[in-house]
């Protein structure tokens, strides 16, 4: 991989997935795709639940913002269910 590429690596169901994005395909002012926004919400939620050292200042509001922006059509209802799960988790944390 050259210095002009960005590699995105994810582990999903014990399978390593890697996608390389060339600089010519990446623009800073591009709006991320719906699926990418939703995936970021799920990853952020996971970091919050684990209290990951990499979560930075991520919080439930950010998760909900990303999930809402990435909800899309949600024909199966899984994304809406995820958002309800995040809300329930947030409410449980408030009650502590």
């Amino acid at each position: 991989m050259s210095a002009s590429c960005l590699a995105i690596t994810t582990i999903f169901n014990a399978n390593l997935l890697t996608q390389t994005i060339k600089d010519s395909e990446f623009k800073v002012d591009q709006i991320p795709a719906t699926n990418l926004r939703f995936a970021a919400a799920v990853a952020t939620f996971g970091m919050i639940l684990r209290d990951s050292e990499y979560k930075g200042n991520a919080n439930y509001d950010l998760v909900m913002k990303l999930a809402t922006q990435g909800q899309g059509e949600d024909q199966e209802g899984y994304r809406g269910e995820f958002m309800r799960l995040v809300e329930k988790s947030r409410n449980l944390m408030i009650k502590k």
Side-chain angles (χ1 to χ4, degrees), residues 65-88:
K65 178 180 177 182
L66 291 168
T68 301
Q69 292 172 345
Q71 189 170 13
E73 292 182 26
D74 193 23
Q75 295 176 353
E76 302 290 326
Y78 296 127
R79 294 180 183 203
E81 182 63 27
F82 170 78
M83 293 168 67
R84 286 186 290 280
L85 180 66
V86 171
E87 282 299 324
K88 286 182 179 183

Side-chain angles (χ1 to χ4, degrees), residues 27-41:
K27 296 183 177 91
V28 176
D29 60 343
Q30 275 185 320
I31 298 172
T34 303
N35 289 337
L36 181 59
R37 286 180 187 266
F38 193 78

Side-chain angles (χ1 to χ4, degrees), residues 5-80:
C5 293
L6 169 69
I8 298 175
T9 304
T10 303
I11 297 176
F12 181 73
N13 290 340
N15 294 314
L16 181 64
L17 306 172
T18 303
Q19 180 176 359
T20 303
I21 302 171
K22 297 177 184 175
D23 281 347
S24 61
E25 299 170 355
F26 181 76
K27 296 183 177 91
V28 176
D29 60 343
Q30 275 185 320
I31 298 172
T34 303
N35 289 337
L36 181 59
R37 286 180 187 266
F38 193 78
V42 173
T44 303
F45 184 54
M47 287 189 285
I48 290 171
L49 290 177
R50 297 186 64 149
D51 195 24
S52 170
E53 63 183 285
Y54 303 108
K55 73 176 180 175
N57 61 356
N59 56 34
Y60 287 100
D61 291 334
L62 176 61
V63 173
M64 288 304 295
K65 178 180 177 182
L66 291 168
T68 301
Q69 292 172 345
Q71 189 170 13
E73 292 182 26
D74 193 23
Q75 295 176 353
E76 302 290 326
Y78 296 127
R79 294 180 183 203

